[in-house]
């Protein structure tokens, strides 16, 4: 089965087009290591981190500077135990990463081929400037027709995009790694959804997929999208 009736495809960005959450996980673990070395309990620290993260996301939103803010709050709580230079080097290493996305294998080729047949958009949540910069740095802006950067990817946002663009849900497909932000809301508003699971998906982006028969598909790799989407361009080249 090929999804030949699809006209437009929306792609999530973080951890779908490029690696993202691994840098957050690495910085979190490096930071917690500093305190575990001093005899504190890792699970308790992780719990403290998770609670703070929930609060910060709710109050301040997404984005790398809000993640750094979490580390700074924790640093202040435990500054008598942490070497400031070690703390700064963890933050520095983290800040050097996210604006320079490392694309997953086959992303550019796959998008360039899909572009021949479909209208392509990026749909990502987070800080506008930061997400836009990543899209530009990765060269994705030159391939896709446009991008939506929204504070939260809820049903209403998907619905709003469909209405604004005059797109039919049954001709629109969402592709992403997050059941909570990409797959389930897209399915709920009547769109098609292709799930690309990712081992390091952010905890706050995870929930169980609620599949809808006939509108939900799952692939292992980005380049596998060709198995579900009509591949006119490549077929002609063969
Ligand atoms: Mg994602």
């Amino acid at each position: 089965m090929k999804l030949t009736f699809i006209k437009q495809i929306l792609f999530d960005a973080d951890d779908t087009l490029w690696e993202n959450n691994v840098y957050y996980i690495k910085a979190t673990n490096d930071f917690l290591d500093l305190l575990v070395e001093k005899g504190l309990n890792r699970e308790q620290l992780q719990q403290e981190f998770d609670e703070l993260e929930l609060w910060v996301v709710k109050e301040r939103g997404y984005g790398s500077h809000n993640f750094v803010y979490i580390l700074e709050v924790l640093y202040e709580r435990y500054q008598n135990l942490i070497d400031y230079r070690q703390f700064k080097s963890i933050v520095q290493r983290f800040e050097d990463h996210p604006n320079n996305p490392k694309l997953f294998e086959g992303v550019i080729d796959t998008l360039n081929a899909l572009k021949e047949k479909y209208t392509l958009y990026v749909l990502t949540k987070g800080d506008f400037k930061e997400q836009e910069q990543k899209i530009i740095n990765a060269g994705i802006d030159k391939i896709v027709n446009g991008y939506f950067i929204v504070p939260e990817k809820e049903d209403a946002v998907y619905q709003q995009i469909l209405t604004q663009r005059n797109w039919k849900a049954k001709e629109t497909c969402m592709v992403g790694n997050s059941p909570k932000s990409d797959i389930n809301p897209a399915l709920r508003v009547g769109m098609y959804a292709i799930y690309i699971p990712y081992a390091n998906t952010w905890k706050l982006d995870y929930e169980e997929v609620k599949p809808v028969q006939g509108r939900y598909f799952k692939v292992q790799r980005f380049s596998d999208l060709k198995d579900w989407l009509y591949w006119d361009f490549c077929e002609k080249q063969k």
Side-chain angles (χ1 to χ4, degrees):
M1 181 184 163
K2 300 267 187 189
L3 301 178
T4 53
F5 42 85
I6 295 294
K7 290 189 175 154
Q8 47 273 333
I9 310 171
L10 296 164
F11 294 92
D12 167 53
D14 291 336
D15 294 323
T16 295
L17 300 178
W18 55 66
E19 296 259 19
N20 183 66
N21 198 39
V22 284
Y23 305 121
Y24 290 73
I25 293 173
K26 168 104 177 76
T28 306
N29 287 339
D30 288 350
F31 177 82
L32 297 186
D33 282 347
L34 298 179
L35 291 166
V36 172
E37 278 166 20
K38 302 285 176 181
L40 272 69
N41 180 289
R42 179 175 289 277
E43 276 149 37
Q44 275 174 15
L45 287 168
Q46 184 69 54
Q47 200 183 333
E48 188 177 347
F49 180 93
D50 292 347
E51 282 166 15
L52 186 57
E53 183 178 53
L54 263 183
W55 181 81
V56 168
V57 164
K58 188 165 163 274
E59 295 298 318
R60 300 170 58 115
Y62 302 101
S64 64
H65 53 278
N66 286 331
F67 173 77
V68 170
Y69 174 75
I70 298 170
L71 297 184
E72 284 166 353
V73 170
L74 287 172
Y75 171 75
E76 272 176 33
R77 274 185 207 170
Y78 292 105
Q79 57 180 306
N80 55 332
L81 294 174
I82 300 172
D83 179 271
Y84 181 70
R85 276 169 309 171
Q86 282 184 308
F87 170 71
K88 279 312 275 183
S89 93
I90 291 169
V91 171
Q92 194 60 54
R93 210 174 327 139
F94 168 75
E95 285 178 335
D96 285 345
H97 274 291
N99 284 329
N100 231 336
K102 189 170 155 249
L103 289 162
F104 290 119
E105 213 186 319
V107 165
I108 295 289
D109 289 349
T110 307
L111 289 178
N112 271 324
L114 292 176
K115 188 184 160 181
E116 298 294 316
K117 176 78 185 170
Y118 304 95
T119 303
L120 309 181
Y121 275 81
V122 172
L123 170 58
T124 177
K125 67 171 190 248
D127 178 81
F128 187 89
K129 274 198 181 140
E130 179 168 29
Q131 294 307 97
E132 181 175 54
Q133 203 54 55
K134 285 193 278 186
I135 291 168
I136 292 168
N137 288 352
I140 299 296
D141 62 314
K142 293 186 191 74
I143 304 174
V144 297
N145 296 69
Y147 40 86
F148 302 100
I149 301 172
V150 298
E152 196 64 82
K153 283 153 84 176
E154 302 161 328
D155 298 21
V157 169
Y158 283 86
Q159 196 54 63
Q160 204 181 347
I161 290 171
L162 292 172
T163 311
Q164 265 180 12
R165 299 278 153 161
N166 211 8
W167 290 344
K168 291 193 178 104
K170 61 182 187 217
E171 293 173 351
T172 308
C173 182
M174 177 70 198
V175 174
N177 74 300
S178 165
K180 185 171 183 281
S181 303
D182 304 321
I183 307 306
N184 290 335
L187 291 172
R188 279 195 296 265
V189 302
M191 289 167 52
Y192 283 74
I194 302 180
Y195 177 38
I196 313 176
Y198 178 60
N200 297 308
T201 290
W202 190 27
K203 273 184 265 183
L204 297 187
D205 257 343
Y206 193 78
E207 65 184 21
E208 254 185 66
V209 172
K210 297 183 186 76
V212 175
Q213 182 76 29
R215 283 198 284 116
Y216 165 73
F217 305 91
K218 181 173 162 184
V219 299
Q220 288 311 313
R221 282 170 298 274
F222 195 87
S223 51
D224 292 344
L225 288 172
K226 64 183 178 293
D227 297 337
W228 290 108
L229 298 162
Y230 186 55
W231 206 249
D232 195 35
F233 177 68
C234 279
E235 279 168 7
K236 268 188 218 154
Q237 285 196 322
K238 270 179 201 161

